[in-house]
Amino acid sequence: MKLRVALAQINPTVGDLVGNAALITKYTNDAVSASADVIVFPEMVLTGYPVEDLAMRVSFRSASKKALAQLVTALDPAIVSVVGYLDESPNGAPQNRVAVIYGSNVVATYTKRHLPNYGVFDEFRNFVPGDSSLVVRVKGVDIGIAICEDIWHSLADLAARKPGVVLVPNGSPYERNKDDVRLALVQKRAREVGAPLAYVNMIGGQDDLVFDGDTIVVDAQGTVISRAAQFEDQLLVVDIEAGTQSSQPDVVISESGTEAAGTIAPVIAQRLSDDQEIWNALVMGLRDYVAKNKFRSVVVGLSGGIDSALVAAIAVDALGAKCVNGVAMPSKYSSDHSVEDATALAASTGIHFRTVAIEPMVQSFMQSVTLKGVAAENIQARVRGTTLMGISNQEGHLVLATGNKSELAVGYSTLYGDAVGGFAPIKDIYKTDVWALARWRNEQAISRGESAPIPVRSIEKEPSAELRPDQKDSDSLPEYELLDQLLIRYVDGDEGSAALIAAGFDSALVMRVIGLVDKAEYKRRQYPPGTKVSARAFGKDRRLPMTSRWSEA
Amino acid sequence: MKLRVALAQINPTVGDLVGNAALITKYTNDAVSASADVIVFPEMVLTGYPVEDLAMRVSFRSASKKALAQLVTALDPAIVSVVGYLDESPNGAPQNRVAVIYGSNVVATYTKRHLPNYGVFDEFRNFVPGDSSLVVRVKGVDIGIAICEDIWHSLADLAARKPGVVLVPNGSPYERNKDDVRLALVQKRAREVGAPLAYVNMIGGQDDLVFDGDTIVVDAQGTVISRAAQFEDQLLVVDIEAGTQSSQPDVVISESGTEAAGTIAPVIAQRLSDDQEIWNALVMGLRDYVAKNKFRSVVVGLSGGIDSALVAAIAVDALGAKCVNGVAMPSKYSSDHSVEDATALAASTGIHFRTVAIEPMVQSFMQSVTLKGVAAENIQARVRGTTLMGISNQEGHLVLATGNKSELAVGYSTLYGDAVGGFAPIKDIYKTDVWALARWRNEQAISRGESAPIPVRSIEKEPSAELRPDQKDSDSLPEYELLDQLLIRYVDGDEGSAALIAAGFDSALVMRVIGLVDKAEYKRRQYPPGTKVSARAFGKDRRLPMTSRWSEA
């Protein structure tokens, strides 16, 4: 039997029950137009995902249930819709559930059975797991359902029921290289169950997470039948050849039916390159933080350096140059090329640009308070932060913080100075990747016949905070090529000093860097959110005490 | 058989394996001097608690195991010591465990079976649970063990083994009125097991948590035999009358033995008043954050208002007046009484005091950037924040933020302005409680024949941020008496708008306040840590998305 399945790779918004319901209705209508038998939406699409502790509010659960009840009557009764939402167990505990909707009724539900409680996930905190599988018969095809984390565990019990096809709604955040992991997993589960498997994931940004879609359909042997483009809205419609009457279904919607006319040519979107993938993640993460929080524009301090240049370029791709405001804030320690390179960036991207010299404000502080050394350096950064926040308050732009992961790791930033902002687009990008992405973005532009957005000198100059005469990052930090290699292992890999030294790093360097990372936890705690692209981002992915005497250094 | 049990209500530091081991050794020696048969330490005393994601580091687990091995040889071999630490399951997963140490050996271990994963706890993230009970025979008495969360669930399986006494190491953070809940729970479990139960809890501050001790011993009927003072280091030594040979022990240390000579007169420390309890929590939380992070002094901006006055008074009690620096930062909108009241506070408490007028810095910003309305108001707050941070950087003091829970809830604060700081002592205290605590602290002083630390006018004046002429908090917020009642239900109680309106609150007020709370999540995310005293503190107790369209308003 050819079952026509529509997979809605869409961008819901947390808490926007009305907007998400409208999106679900629209895509369901599109699926009906495409003669689909079934449409599957991502995990908790009706509430958005993750809802975090909103799950524990009785009022929010009631609203979700009410929104589902309204949606049921709004959806075309002829198609089977699989819609994720927030519901409750019989004793009133929150559950992560999908409703199978048909004929203006909820004909069955399935509750997520495996709750991730690691990394960025707190689902054991927020939900109570389900305890049973579900098989629903549609046109004779027995459809099994699993939700996201469920497929990271064995589906043996579902396999034993011999479904003809498995549908998997997901809320699976983007990480570098995760698409490869996902594909292998989807293939493994299809083979375990012995049936085609259709995996649908959402797209969009939600605070520090971004969802990349990467919706996949494989046959029972794990061969890819169809795969959606990453980071794009898409209704992926697939004809799946599936066995019939293979199981003992819990619910029968239809014992048989006519196959949809015609054949959908299967689409297998090309994978993005690693750089493009990360770029799209950063662009979507920023765009959605801005849009979903109802900002229209951003402001970023431009130092002439690579970090702020890259952030501005991401913002231009996310929002358009007209919505991006650059501010150069030179001090007496700023090199000539600082303002020149900031000006060049503004010219090449077309963003709004202004210059505010900070010397008068810095001097007024220096005259009122005794400030020397680091205290004097920090004043400059904080005057810049206050200037940006003033412009933000006056004009309504969201301030972007420009710190990268290397700086955040070792605490090479000034609290309430360069660390101010509502969002920090590159906080999960190590400095060496900042350079690589900048080069890549320029090459992309050139290959498309556009002018490169990022001034070459910003990429090539030696990094400096320019808070004192002739200061260089390398005065206080090792070269970034070396530092980043160490940080990847210590921060992302949780390797201890012994392992790092065994891997060939100089022991004094290891001790120094580890000490810096450990001591900077309090700064990271007050840093703005930013898009996670690594397997271990700073933030809820890595929860360490600020007060800790533990040190391997 | 009279078993003499020593309960070590002590203050370990997270990550300080060497220091904690020394503390354990010292208290064990004291217990030996008191002829105790057994000494029990709080949960994970060797590593400190909670270690959060440090549990997931192989190197930290190795260090914990190694520290335990060293401790075993250091402890007096004649006493049975029950010591909490971090260990691993056979397949290398982190576990929250106690070692029963005797004769320079670990003779048994018990692994926590119930892992809290709600509120501030992430133990399902950080540990793998144990799966078996433990009974150890000491001088014929069969000792059962449970760890903290274990006793929040039934001890039926331990009860079935009929231990003669139950020992319970804890890491149970302070919350208002939690002592009553604890006592009832301890009594319930003693009755369930049918044996005396000895509950030992740590004291001390750890980031936003503070532990109050409240070590309790009850007999099999639940009658209190002994109870330690709250918030104090104490070795509580108790003679417990326990049956012998009641169980089938897993390990026999000694089948019989001589009872310790003499009788320890049981101590039941008086409970603190609610105000005193909260005060001690705030004082200990601040003192330990300062000391454990190796600061020696603090600096606080003094507005003449009640919040900063209360924070200064807490700091004086925590650190002594010589370690507290007050800074008045008047602007042209500051009333005459602002500096007068700040000066009076400094005089009554004896703290260091200085005045830095902010007008020159504010003017320098106003001349460089166009700033009107709220943008101009915020500049004043940010100049103050930058001034405090400058003094901190120059002189090494930790900056204290002075925001209260009411302000944090509704977002009535300026990011990078009054919100700057390394620690925020009263962030979990609603404004009405700020006043109550200030009055209580003054009364305490007067009753002791001391001068009241907090100027009466700071308590009695109408609250104002003084960021524009004649500004009052009540211009933009409801009266705090009303606001706080609403916030307690919405923030701490998770009640929805319908419930609040049904409770009698004006619906327009409910909608307005809920809207303010929901919109301020991004500000709270960047706020410094501060001592939790309520059942629902802002921070890891309440994890809500910043990006959310959900509103009941």
Side-chain angles (χ1 to χ4, degrees):
Chain A
M1 172 77 195
K2 182 184 76 181
L3 196 71
R4 184 163 291 175
V5 177
L7 302 160
Q9 178 172 299
I10 61 175
N11 188 349
T13 300
V14 164
D16 188 6
L17 297 166
V18 172
N20 296 338
L23 207 57
I24 294 165
T25 305
K26 178 199 172 303
Y27 275 81
T28 302
N29 290 338
D30 290 351
V32 170
S33 301
S35 304
D37 299 305
V38 179
I39 180 166
V40 194
F41 290 92
E43 181 176 9
M44 289 189 74
V45 65
L46 184 55
T47 55
Y49 179 87
V51 298
E52 305 187 54
D53 283 3
L54 282 178
M56 277 120 90
R57 292 226 193 131
V58 173
S59 54
F60 187 61
R61 296 202 296 270
S62 298
S64 171
K65 290 194 285 186
K66 191 173 160 196
L68 185 84
Q70 289 170 343
L71 183 67
V72 164
T73 65
L75 294 181
D76 191 311
I79 190 170
V80 176
S81 304
V82 179
V83 177
Y85 72 113
L86 174 65
D87 203 336
E88 295 179 326
S89 70
N91 61 356
Q95 296 196 303
N96 179 334
R97 190 169 286 171
V98 293
V100 181
I101 300 166
Y102 177 73
S104 303
N105 281 301
V106 174
V107 296
T109 63
Y110 171 79
T111 303
K112 191 176 186 179
R113 291 189 283 172
H114 291 282
L115 301 175
N117 204 69
Y118 51 79
V120 299
F121 301 107
D122 280 317
E123 293 211 356
F124 204 78
R125 170 188 178 89
N126 293 136
F127 303 116
V128 166
D131 56 9
S132 52
S133 61
L134 176 70
V135 176
V136 177
R137 184 167 290 171
V138 177
K139 289 188 173 177
V141 177
D142 291 323
I143 299 174
I145 293 180
I147 301 177
C148 204
E149 183 77 8
D150 287 336
I151 69 164
W152 293 76
H153 301 259
S154 168
L155 290 179
D157 68 333
L158 185 61
R161 297 187 65 182
K162 301 198 180 305
V165 66
V166 180
L167 305 181
V168 188
N170 293 271
S172 174
Y174 172 73
E175 279 174 20
R176 294 172 81 148
N177 305 320
K178 195 171 182 183
D179 52 343
D180 300 331
V181 178
R182 265 192 212 122
L183 177 60
L185 185 72
V186 162
Q187 292 172 321
K188 181 177 172 185
R189 291 297 161 226
R191 292 187 200 112
E192 181 187 18
V193 178
L197 190 151
Y199 174 107
V200 59
N201 190 23
M202 61 185 61
I203 59 162
Q206 171 60 28
D207 288 347
D208 39 11
L209 302 183
V210 64
F211 298 88
D212 55 333
D214 193 24
T215 293
I216 308 170
V217 182
V218 299
D219 67 18
Q221 288 74 46
T223 308
V224 176
I225 300 173
S226 192
R227 197 167 186 182
Q230 296 156 278
F231 300 103
E232 291 182 16
D233 277 317
Q234 193 170 350
L235 185 70
L236 190 72
V237 184
V238 191
D239 287 335
I240 300 178
E241 202 55 50
T244 55
Q245 273 81 17
S246 58
S247 182
Q248 303 286 335
D250 301 293
V251 172
V252 174
I253 289 174
S254 46
E255 286 290 357
S256 62
T258 318
E259 291 185 358
T263 305
I264 305 280
V267 177
I268 303 184
Q270 215 178 347
R271 297 293 85 195
L272 302 175
S273 71
D274 284 355
D275 287 326
Q276 179 81 61
E277 194 179 273
I278 293 170
W279 188 265
N280 287 15
L282 299 179
V283 167
M284 178 170 271
L286 173 59
R287 181 191 294 141
D288 274 9
Y289 190 85
V290 169
K292 292 181 178 181
N293 286 291
K294 302 191 179 175
F295 283 90
R296 295 164 166 273
S297 54
V298 296
V299 60
V300 57
L302 298 179
S303 69
I306 186 58
D307 297 318
S308 55
L310 189 72
V311 167
I314 293 166
V316 168
D317 283 4
L319 308 166
K322 294 283 162 269
C323 297
V324 181
N325 299 272
V327 185
M329 294 173 284
S331 78
K332 62 181 177 185
Y333 302 125
S334 297
S335 53
D336 292 342
H337 54 77
S338 292
V339 177
E340 286 171 19
D341 293 341
T343 307
L345 173 83
S348 64
T349 55
I351 64 173
H352 301 286
F353 181 67
R354 75 189 91 175
T355 301
V356 179
I358 64 167
E359 206 51 32
M361 291 83 100
V362 171
Q363 280 311 317
S364 67
F365 277 104
M366 300 298 278
Q367 284 159 17
S368 295
V369 195
T370 305
L371 298 167
K372 292 173 182 165
V374 172
E377 293 181 23
N378 283 340
I379 278 290
Q380 300 166 61
R382 293 197 178 108
V383 164
R384 291 188 176 113
T386 297
T387 301
L388 287 177
M389 290 304 297
I391 292 170
S392 166
N393 288 160
Q394 185 65 36
E395 302 175 12
H397 320 300
L398 181 76
V399 177
L400 301 183
T402 60
N404 61 61
K405 192 172 188 175
S406 310
E407 288 177 358
L408 254 76
V410 296
Y412 199 72
S413 72
T414 302
L415 263 177
Y416 325 125
D418 54 296
V420 308
F423 201 74
I426 61 169
K427 73 180 280 194
D428 198 29
I429 307 288
Y430 283 115
K431 185 80 173 189
T432 46
D433 289 332
V434 168
W435 280 311
L437 280 172
R439 290 200 166 90
W440 172 87
R441 181 63 186 79
N442 277 357
E443 286 161 14
Q444 287 292 108
I446 291 162
S447 73
R448 290 198 298 254
E450 299 164 3
S451 63
I454 299 166
V456 171
R457 194 162 60 181
S458 293
I459 302 177
E460 294 182 348
K461 70 170 85 168
E462 195 175 348
S464 167
E466 297 195 334
L467 294 174
R468 60 173 182 262
D470 301 322
Q471 184 180 29
K472 299 275 177 286
D473 289 11
S474 55
D475 298 344
S476 33
L477 297 176
E479 295 296 331
Y480 283 110
E481 287 70 16
L482 181 59
L483 178 65
D484 287 357
Q485 288 306 312
L486 193 49
L487 291 173
I488 288 166
R489 284 166 173 265
Y490 184 62
V491 174
D492 300 46
D494 257 352
E495 291 185 32
S497 58
L500 293 167
I501 293 164
F505 291 97
D506 174 69
S507 67
L509 176 74
V510 167
M511 296 313 180
R512 185 163 143 247
V513 170
I514 282 187
L516 290 172
V517 174
D518 292 350
K519 283 192 198 92
E521 189 57 34
Y522 75 99
K523 286 192 185 180
R524 289 188 288 269
R525 207 62 80 86
Q526 294 190 33
Y527 208 78
T531 304
K532 166 187 161 82
V533 301
S534 74
R536 181 75 57 85
F538 291 123
K540 60 186 168 179
D541 229 1
R542 187 174 183 271
R543 304 178 191 177
L544 288 173
M546 286 175 287
T547 302
S548 171
R549 293 277 174 95
W550 168 245
S551 176
E552 310 192 32
Chain B
M1 172 76 194
K2 181 184 79 183
L3 195 73
R4 183 164 290 176
V5 176
L7 302 160
Q9 179 172 299
I10 62 176
N11 187 348
T13 300
V14 164
D16 188 6
L17 297 167
V18 172
N20 296 338
L23 207 57
I24 293 165
T25 305
K26 179 200 172 300
Y27 275 82
T28 302
N29 291 339
D30 290 350
V32 170
S33 301
S35 304
D37 300 304
V38 180
I39 180 166
V40 195
F41 289 92
E43 182 175 9
M44 289 189 73
V45 65
L46 184 56
T47 55
Y49 179 88
V51 298
E52 305 187 54
D53 283 2
L54 284 178
M56 277 119 89
R57 291 225 193 133
V58 174
S59 54
F60 187 62
R61 295 201 296 270
S62 300
S64 171
K65 289 194 285 187
K66 191 173 159 197
L68 186 84
Q70 290 170 341
L71 182 68
V72 165
T73 66
L75 294 182
D76 192 311
I79 190 170
V80 177
S81 304
V82 180
V83 178
Y85 73 114
L86 174 65
D87 204 336
E88 293 179 328
S89 69
N91 61 356
Q95 296 196 301
N96 179 333
R97 189 168 288 173
V98 293
V100 180
I101 300 167
Y102 178 73
S104 303
N105 282 301
V106 173
V107 296
T109 62
Y110 171 78
T111 303
K112 190 175 186 179
R113 292 189 282 172
H114 290 282
L115 302 175
N117 204 68
Y118 51 80
V120 299
F121 301 107
D122 278 317
E123 293 210 357
F124 203 78
R125 169 188 181 89
N126 292 135
F127 304 115
V128 166
D131 56 8
S132 52
S133 60
L134 175 71
V135 175
V136 178
R137 182 167 292 173
V138 177
K139 290 190 173 176
V141 177
D142 291 323
I143 299 175
I145 293 180
I147 301 177
C148 204
E149 184 76 7
D150 288 337
I151 68 165
W152 293 76
H153 300 259
S154 169
L155 290 179
D157 67 334
L158 186 59
R161 297 188 64 183
K162 300 198 181 305
V165 66
V166 180
L167 305 181
V168 189
N170 294 272
S172 173
Y174 172 73
E175 279 175 19
R176 295 174 80 150
N177 305 320
K178 195 173 181 182
D179 53 342
D180 299 331
V181 177
R182 265 191 211 122
L183 176 61
L185 185 70
V186 162
Q187 294 172 320
K188 181 177 172 184
R189 291 298 160 226
R191 292 186 200 112
E192 180 185 18
V193 178
L197 190 152
Y199 174 106
V200 59
N201 189 24
M202 61 185 62
I203 59 161
Q206 171 59 29
D207 289 347
D208 40 11
L209 301 183
V210 65
F211 298 89
D212 54 333
D214 193 24
T215 292
I216 309 170
V217 183
V218 298
D219 67 16
Q221 289 75 45
T223 307
V224 176
I225 300 172
S226 193
R227 196 166 186 182
Q230 295 156 277
F231 301 103
E232 291 182 17
D233 277 317
Q234 192 170 350
L235 185 70
L236 190 72
V237 184
V238 190
D239 287 335
I240 299 178
E241 203 54 50
T244 56
Q245 273 78 19
S246 58
S247 182
Q248 303 286 336
D250 300 293
V251 172
V252 174
I253 289 174
S254 46
E255 285 290 357
S256 61
T258 320
E259 290 185 357
T263 304
I264 305 278
V267 177
I268 303 183
Q270 215 179 347
R271 296 294 85 194
L272 302 174
S273 71
D274 284 353
D275 287 326
Q276 179 82 59
E277 194 180 272
I278 293 171
W279 188 264
N280 287 15
L282 299 180
V283 166
M284 178 169 270
L286 173 59
R287 180 192 293 141
D288 274 9
Y289 190 86
V290 169
K292 291 180 179 181
N293 286 292
K294 302 193 178 175
F295 283 91
R296 295 165 165 272
S297 53
V298 296
V299 61
V300 57
L302 298 179
S303 69
I306 184 59
D307 297 317
S308 56
L310 189 72
V311 167
I314 292 165
V316 168
D317 283 4
L319 308 166
K322 293 285 163 266
C323 297
V324 181
N325 298 273
V327 185
M329 294 173 283
S331 78
K332 63 180 177 185
Y333 302 125
S334 297
S335 53
D336 293 340
H337 55 75
S338 295
V339 178
E340 287 170 19
D341 293 341
T343 307
L345 173 82
S348 64
T349 54
I351 64 173
H352 301 285
F353 181 67
R354 75 190 88 174
T355 301
V356 179
I358 64 167
E359 206 51 34
M361 292 82 99
V362 171
Q363 279 311 316
S364 68
F365 277 105
M366 300 299 278
Q367 283 158 18
S368 294
V369 196
T370 304
L371 299 167
K372 293 174 182 164
V374 171
E377 293 181 24
N378 283 341
I379 278 291
Q380 301 167 61
R382 292 196 179 109
V383 164
R384 291 189 176 113
T386 296
T387 301
L388 287 177
M389 291 304 296
I391 293 171
S392 166
N393 288 160
Q394 186 64 36
E395 303 175 13
H397 320 300
L398 180 77
V399 176
L400 301 183
T402 59
N404 62 60
K405 192 171 188 175
S406 310
E407 288 177 359
L408 254 75
V410 296
Y412 199 73
S413 72
T414 302
L415 261 178
Y416 323 125
D418 54 296
V420 308
F423 201 74
I426 60 170
K427 75 181 279 194
D428 199 28
I429 307 288
Y430 283 114
K431 185 78 174 190
T432 46
D433 290 331
V434 168
W435 280 310
L437 280 171
R439 290 200 166 91
W440 172 87
R441 181 63 186 80
N442 277 357
E443 286 161 14
Q444 287 293 107
I446 291 162
S447 73
R448 292 199 296 255
E450 299 163 3
S451 63
I454 299 166
V456 171
R457 194 163 59 184
S458 292
I459 302 176
E460 293 184 348
K461 71 170 82 168
E462 195 176 346
S464 167
E466 296 195 334
L467 295 174
R468 60 172 181 263
D470 301 320
Q471 185 181 28
K472 299 274 176 287
D473 290 11
S474 55
D475 298 344
S476 32
L477 298 176
E479 295 297 330
Y480 283 110
E481 287 69 16
L482 180 60
L483 178 64
D484 287 357
Q485 288 307 311
L486 193 49
L487 291 173
I488 287 168
R489 286 168 172 264
Y490 184 61
V491 174
D492 300 44
D494 257 353
E495 291 185 31
S497 58
L500 293 167
I501 293 164
F505 292 96
D506 174 70
S507 67
L509 176 74
V510 166
M511 296 313 181
R512 187 164 141 244
V513 170
I514 282 187
L516 290 171
V517 173
D518 292 350
K519 282 191 198 94
E521 189 56 34
Y522 76 98
K523 286 192 185 181
R524 289 188 289 269
R525 206 63 79 88
Q526 294 190 35
Y527 207 79
T531 305
K532 166 186 160 83
V533 301
S534 74
R536 180 75 58 84
F538 290 123
K540 58 186 170 181
D541 230 1
R542 186 174 184 271
R543 304 179 190 176
L544 289 174
M546 286 174 287
T547 302
S548 171
R549 294 277 173 95
W550 168 245
S551 176
E552 310 193 32

